[in-house]
Amino acid sequence: MKKHLSLLLALLMLAPAIVSCAETEDTASPDATPAVSGEQVSEETVPEETEISRENIPDTLPELDFNGETVTIHSRGDDQAYLEIGVEEMTGEPVNDAVYERNAMVSERLNIQLNPIRAEGWESYNNAIASLRASIMAADGAYDIIAGWSARIPALSLEGLLLDVLPLPHLDLDQPWWNASAVEELEIANKLYFVTGNIAKTMTSAMFVFAFNQKLATDYELENLYDVVKENRWTIDYVYNLSSVAYIDTDGDGTASPADNYGLITSCINDADSFLQGCQVSMISRDENGLPFLDVDEERMTTIVEKVYNLFWNNPGCRPHLSGYTEREIFVEGRALLVTAAMENIASTFAEMEDDFGVLPYPMLDEAQGKYGTRVQDALSLWCVPIDAKNPEMSAAVLEALGAQSYRTVTPAYFDVALKNRYSRDEQTAEMMDLIQDSALINFEQLYNESIGNPWFVLRTLMPAKNSNYASYWATNSKVITKMLQKAVEKIQANG
C-alpha cells in the first residue's frame, strides 16, 4: 500500500510539469532557439516526499484549543492500568517516558491539563463503581473520561450512565489505533459506549500466551515449535502429547509434586478461560437488527471442554493450579517445558531466566480451525465518557489524540522495545509476538460477561471442579444467561 501511495503522490506532483511541457511543445515557434550548452537552466525543486510510517501517521483531528481546561480521567488503581495515563515524570524507562511524552504532546496540542485520578484496584473496584455511579447520577461533572476495568465497567452502560460515543465529533473509529473487533462486538442498537486499543497499554499486557523453555526443547529433541505454529499444527492435542512426554518424577516419590519436572504449568482460572479465544469461540449471533442473542455450538463446546479437561486432569505432565495462581517459578527454574501466562509476566517474571525461552499463541482446537486466537484478559481498560462530562466534544478529542499518539509511540515502546527486543531471546519469538498481537480477540460476551450471567466462565467453572460434563452445565445455566442477555439488550435499547 505504501508503494502505491508513493507512486500516486509522485504522479500528482509531476502532473503540472507534464501539462506544462505539453503546452510548450504545442505553442512554441519552430524557429525558437534551443538553450545554449552551458547556460544555467532553472529547475523547480520538487519537495522530497515524506513516507507515511507508524511514527508519523496522520490523524483527522482539526486544530483545537480548549483554553487550558482540566481533563479529569478516572483510572483503575492497579499499576498496569493506572500507568497507562498516570505518569508524573521521566525516569529513563522507555514505556514510562513514552507515556509521559504522549501526555505532554496531547496536552500541548489541545491546550488542556490532564488530571488522572487513581481509583481502587481490581480487588476493591466495586467501590469505584459505586462512587462513579453516585457521581454521575448527581451530575457533578467530576470526570471527563473513564478508563474503567473491563470486567465491571460495562454495568454502567446498562444503567444509562455513559454516552454513546458514535455521535461524538473527532472520534475516528476506523483508525488503526482503535481495536476493530471491540468496535464491532460492542456496538448494540446502533450505540457504542466503549473504545479501546493502543490507548490502553493493558491491551498488550493482558494478552495470554504460552511460553516454552528452549533449552528443554533442545534436550528433548523436539521439532521447531515455531514451525509447528506456522504450519497450523499447534493444537490442544499437540500440547497434550508434548506435556506428557516432558514429565519427570524428579523426586521419585511416585506422585506429581512441585519438585518434579513438568510439561505444562497452568491455572484453572484466567489461563483456562483463554482456551476459548484460542479455539475462536463465539457464543453470540446477531439478529436482522444487529441485536445479540445467545447462539452456542454445543457440540464444539463439548469437544473443547473434554480436550481441556483431559489436558488438565488426565495428563501427568500438566500441573494445573486450582486458583488463578500458577507455579511459574517451576518454569523460571528450568523444570517445565511450557507455561501459560499474561504478556506482562514475560516482561517481569521471565526476564531473569537463565534458560532461553520462546513465546507461542494459545493452541487451536484442531488444524481445520486455521487461525489462532488470543485472549485479552479482563484486566483490559475500556475508555468511555460519562453522561455528565462537562464537554463531551473535548473528551472525544482527548481520546482520539491519546489513541493516535499511543499508536505512534507508546505501543512501539512497550511491545517492540520492552517485550520484543528487551525480553524476547530470538527473532522468531518477536515474530510470534506479532502473530499473537494480531490474533487478539475482543468479544461482546467476554466483556459483558458479568452482566449477562457469566457465559464466558465455562472453563473456569468446570476445570477446578474436575468436571467435563458440559451438556449438564449448559442445560443448567443457558436459560438464565439467555434471560439476562435479553434484559441487557433491552436496557441498552432504552437508553436515550
Side-chain angles (χ1 to χ4, degrees):
M1 189 169 79
K2 290 179 181 177
K3 290 180 179 178
H4 294 163
L5 180 59
S6 299
L7 178 58
L8 177 60
L9 290 173
L11 289 172
L12 289 173
M13 287 189 291
L14 287 173
I18 294 171
V19 173
S20 175
C21 288
E23 290 175 349
T24 301
E25 289 173 1
D26 289 340
T27 60
S29 166
D31 300 325
T33 305
V36 179
S37 177
E39 283 186 11
Q40 297 297 318
V41 181
S42 64
E43 295 182 0
E44 182 179 351
T45 303
V46 178
E48 185 177 347
E49 176 192 349
T50 300
E51 183 178 2
I52 295 176
S53 65
R54 180 171 187 141
E55 290 73 22
N56 64 14
I57 183 172
D59 54 58
T60 55
L61 281 173
E63 290 189 15
L64 297 167
D65 187 340
F66 293 105
N67 302 311
E69 282 276 7
T70 296
V71 178
T72 302
I73 301 176
H74 163 100
S75 175
R76 194 174 96 231
D78 305 285
D79 283 348
Q80 286 291 337
Y82 180 68
L83 295 178
E84 290 176 340
I85 186 70
V87 172
E88 298 179 356
E89 60 183 1
M90 301 275 280
T91 65
E93 196 281 321
V95 182
N96 176 93
D97 292 357
V99 172
Y100 181 88
E101 291 175 344
R102 176 206 64 188
N103 291 353
M105 292 175 69
V106 170
S107 296
E108 180 179 0
R109 177 181 184 181
L110 301 179
N111 190 12
I112 58 168
Q113 298 292 324
L114 292 175
N115 177 35
I117 301 295
R118 188 169 194 160
E120 290 88 344
W122 70 271
E123 294 168 305
S124 304
Y125 199 70
N126 284 341
N127 296 332
I129 291 291
S131 297
L132 284 171
R133 180 183 292 113
S135 171
I136 299 171
M137 292 181 71
D140 60 18
Y143 297 101
D144 300 286
I145 293 171
I146 297 172
W149 181 26
S150 64
R152 301 284 159 78
I153 201 68
L156 295 186
S157 71
L158 302 182
E159 299 170 28
L161 299 179
L162 303 178
L163 284 177
D164 174 13
V165 301
L166 291 178
L168 295 181
H170 308 314
L171 274 177
D172 187 349
L173 299 179
D174 292 326
Q175 294 284 11
W177 39 87
W178 300 118
N179 182 273
S181 65
V183 172
E184 179 180 356
E185 285 284 321
L186 298 181
E187 183 179 340
I188 305 171
N190 298 315
K191 299 181 180 74
L192 178 68
Y193 299 104
F194 306 102
V195 291
T196 193
N198 289 267
I199 193 172
K201 184 159 63 74
T202 45
M203 182 77 191
T204 301
S205 66
M207 293 190 300
F208 264 74
V209 299
F210 269 59
F212 74 98
N213 184 308
Q214 293 184 338
K215 178 180 179 300
L216 291 182
T218 300
D219 292 345
Y220 296 146
E221 299 181 346
L222 302 178
E223 63 178 317
N224 188 313
L225 296 182
Y226 297 125
D227 290 341
V228 174
V229 170
K230 294 175 185 177
E231 295 165 8
N232 286 341
R233 294 187 290 118
W234 182 243
T235 64
I236 298 176
D237 287 342
Y238 192 100
V239 172
Y240 180 97
N241 294 330
L242 208 58
S243 300
S244 60
V245 300
Y247 175 71
I248 301 174
D249 184 7
T250 308
D251 58 10
D253 65 358
T255 60
S257 67
D260 294 343
N261 281 31
Y262 287 91
L264 172 63
I265 302 295
T266 190
S267 155
C268 290
I269 308 299
N270 285 305
D271 309 61
D273 288 339
S274 303
F275 280 95
L276 294 184
Q277 273 92 351
C279 295
Q280 293 268 334
V281 167
S282 174
M283 296 181 174
I284 296 292
S285 290
R286 303 267 176 159
D287 65 17
E288 64 277 7
N289 297 314
L291 301 178
F293 64 90
L294 198 63
D295 184 21
V296 177
D297 185 338
E298 296 186 36
E299 182 178 351
R300 191 166 188 269
M301 279 298 303
T302 297
T303 301
I304 293 169
V305 169
E306 290 175 349
K307 284 184 180 293
V308 174
Y309 177 88
N310 285 332
L311 173 63
F312 279 26
W313 301 118
N314 291 334
N315 189 331
C318 181
R319 186 171 177 82
H321 202 282
L322 291 172
S323 73
Y325 171 72
T326 56
E327 296 170 309
R328 296 191 181 106
E329 65 273 11
I330 296 176
F331 180 79
V332 174
E333 292 167 4
R335 295 188 295 107
L337 175 63
L338 301 166
V339 68
T340 54
M343 193 71 84
E344 64 180 289
N345 301 119
I346 306 299
S348 56
T349 309
F350 303 156
E352 304 303 320
M353 274 186 66
E354 290 185 10
D355 294 345
D356 286 342
F357 63 87
V359 178
L360 306 170
Y362 256 68
M364 298 185 293
L365 175 60
D366 51 41
E367 294 182 25
Q369 182 176 309
K371 186 178 181 181
Y372 295 97
T374 296
R375 179 180 187 236
V376 181
Q377 183 196 353
D378 57 17
L380 171 69
S381 296
L382 295 178
W383 294 64
C384 49
V385 180
I387 58 172
D388 66 331
K390 57 181 177 285
N391 185 344
E393 178 188 356
M394 179 178 69
S395 298
V398 172
L399 286 172
E400 185 71 14
L402 287 173
Q405 196 56 38
S406 296
Y407 179 83
R408 298 180 188 115
T409 57
V410 177
T411 297
Y414 183 73
F415 191 70
D416 295 334
V417 177
L419 289 179
K420 282 172 54 175
N421 296 338
R422 182 185 298 180
Y423 296 115
S424 67
R425 305 300 180 89
D426 56 60
E427 291 183 3
Q428 291 188 85
T429 298
E431 182 182 352
M432 285 295 107
M433 285 185 173
D434 285 335
L435 183 153
I436 290 163
Q437 187 183 50
D438 292 342
S439 303
L441 294 178
I442 295 189
N443 51 31
F444 171 87
E445 59 270 36
Q446 177 203 358
L447 293 184
Y448 275 87
N449 182 59
E450 295 190 12
S451 298
I452 60 173
N454 298 316
W456 207 255
F457 283 172
V458 173
L459 291 171
R460 73 161 59 190
T461 300
L462 294 176
M463 291 308 108
K466 300 183 180 180
N467 179 3
S468 62
N469 193 339
Y470 172 76
S472 175
Y473 165 84
W474 197 242
T476 303
N477 291 277
S478 59
K479 291 182 180 179
V480 173
I481 294 170
T482 297
K483 289 181 179 179
M484 292 186 69
L485 173 60
Q486 289 174 344
K487 288 182 179 180
V489 172
E490 289 169 2
K491 289 179 179 178
I492 291 174
Q493 286 181 291
N495 288 341

